[in-house]
Amino acid sequence: MANLIYRALGSRDLDEAHALSKAVAWPHSLEDWKFIIQLGSGIGAFEDGRLCGTGCWWPLGDSFATVGMIIVSPELQGRGIGRVLMDRAMTDAGERSLVLNATQAGLPLYEKLGFKAVGAVRQHQIAGSKPQDVSVPGGSRLRPLTKDDRPALQQLDALATGMDRTAALDAIIESAVGLVLERDGQVAGFSFFRRFGRGYVIGPTIATEVDDAKGLIGSFLNEHRTEFLRVDVPVESGLSEWLSDQGLPKVDEVVTMVRGHRPHREDNGPHVFSLINQALG
């Protein structure tokens, strides 16, 4: 441990970061790592020049940030590396309130650092789902997303999350297939389908009504039923049981935690029905 140093992660470290995530059985591809790093900042722990730990954080405006990708090599776990990586990320984030999704293994550390549990996220996935036909509510229609929809997406997302995720949304718009739910000529919800991990992820999905979210997600499920699909949904979304009925069983659950102020969201406004991913929220 005498030769352990910490420094910023760069593009030259991504192959090692990818190998590290594989070593702990996380599904992230090299492309996922590139996406992660371009949106935020990474810190690496290096022992004798070898990457043995990672931590990342992503600014969401001036008031909030998310923290994730806290990974330590299996042979070095329990030696305080994760604590140092978290301390570095928290220091770099400054006065921002922090949000993260914690595995059961990471939960004790985050509690010691002052994070409080505020919810949970359920991971649903399967290869070759058998979804039922899902229709959109009356008076609504689905259409492909266009770049002209960007302001409406930003507004809905900000209301749903209470945070500024403009950079992440812009990156997703450029790289994913998007669907918009339109009602009375206005954008009332949206969802994305993009490569992630072992196959594809559906998210983020933002909508006001649960039936709107089902229509958006269900459209992707039916179109891509032969692919490996993953959907991460907040417990309060009400979609977990529905996804199981669609042939995507729950395979894991993580705890959503906040350090500082919890983002403000209106109860009668739009909600997050599926995540970008567990790191970014």
Side-chain angles (χ1 to χ4, degrees):
M1 296 295 286
N3 295 318
L4 192 68
I5 65 168
Y6 296 85
R7 65 163 171 82
L9 288 177
S11 58
R12 68 187 184 278
D13 304 311
L14 291 183
D15 286 332
E16 278 195 281
H18 178 222
L20 183 61
S21 60
K22 287 176 65 176
V24 294
W26 286 20
H28 301 73
S29 68
L30 182 59
E31 289 301 315
D32 296 331
W33 269 102
K34 291 177 181 177
F35 180 80
I36 285 166
I37 292 297
Q38 80 178 48
L39 290 173
S41 299
I43 305 116
F46 295 83
E47 185 181 48
D48 297 325
R50 180 182 67 92
L51 182 66
C52 61
T54 63
C56 298
W57 72 278
W58 300 270
L60 304 177
D62 295 330
S63 300
F64 295 97
T66 56
V67 182
M69 303 306 290
I70 309 297
I71 307 173
V72 177
S73 294
E75 67 271 19
L76 295 178
Q77 290 177 6
R79 301 189 187 183
I81 295 174
R83 172 66 182 257
V84 175
L85 290 165
M86 277 296 299
D87 284 342
R88 296 289 183 102
M90 290 163 57
T91 297
D92 290 350
E95 297 300 315
R96 293 177 175 89
S97 294
L98 302 177
V99 183
L100 59 77
N101 285 303
T103 63
Q104 288 301 314
L107 198 59
L109 169 61
Y110 304 136
E111 288 176 338
K112 289 177 183 176
L113 292 173
F115 285 84
K116 305 295 185 184
V118 296
V121 171
R122 290 177 177 168
Q123 177 182 333
H124 290 257
Q125 64 186 42
I126 200 167
S129 61
K130 298 180 180 179
Q132 307 164 10
D133 288 331
V134 178
S135 59
V136 297
S140 304
R141 72 180 183 104
L142 297 180
R143 63 165 174 82
L145 181 145
T146 72
K147 290 188 178 181
D148 290 339
D149 295 315
R150 181 176 175 268
L153 267 59
Q154 290 177 345
Q155 182 180 28
L156 284 173
D157 191 83
L159 290 171
T161 65
M163 299 180 289
D164 179 2
R165 304 200 303 181
T166 300
L169 283 177
D170 284 348
I172 293 169
I173 289 171
E174 291 296 327
S175 62
V177 175
L179 270 182
V180 160
L181 185 138
E182 197 173 64
R183 186 159 44 241
D184 299 326
Q186 302 294 318
V187 176
F190 65 88
S191 186
F192 287 96
F193 178 86
R194 59 193 177 83
R195 287 194 173 276
F196 178 80
R198 296 170 57 188
Y200 296 86
V201 66
I202 300 173
T205 303
I206 305 292
T208 302
E209 305 294 338
V210 67
D211 287 342
D212 292 347
K214 289 178 180 179
L216 287 158
I217 294 172
S219 178
F220 285 132
L221 294 179
N222 277 289
E223 186 175 355
H224 302 282
R225 60 180 66 203
T226 62
E227 305 286 356
F228 183 91
L229 302 176
R230 172 172 171 169
V231 191
D232 293 278
V233 297
V235 169
E236 66 268 21
S237 70
L239 290 182
S240 185
E241 183 176 346
W242 175 78
L243 283 169
S244 295
D245 291 342
Q246 300 300 308
L248 277 78
K250 171 191 163 187
V251 298
D252 198 12
E253 183 169 321
V254 294
V255 179
T256 303
M257 308 187 80
V258 172
R259 184 178 186 268
H261 298 291
R262 187 173 183 176
H264 175 73
R265 291 164 285 192
E266 297 291 344
D267 291 339
N268 59 351
H271 299 283
V272 176
F273 283 93
S274 72
L275 276 60
I276 298 173
N277 57 37
Q278 290 184 11
L280 289 169

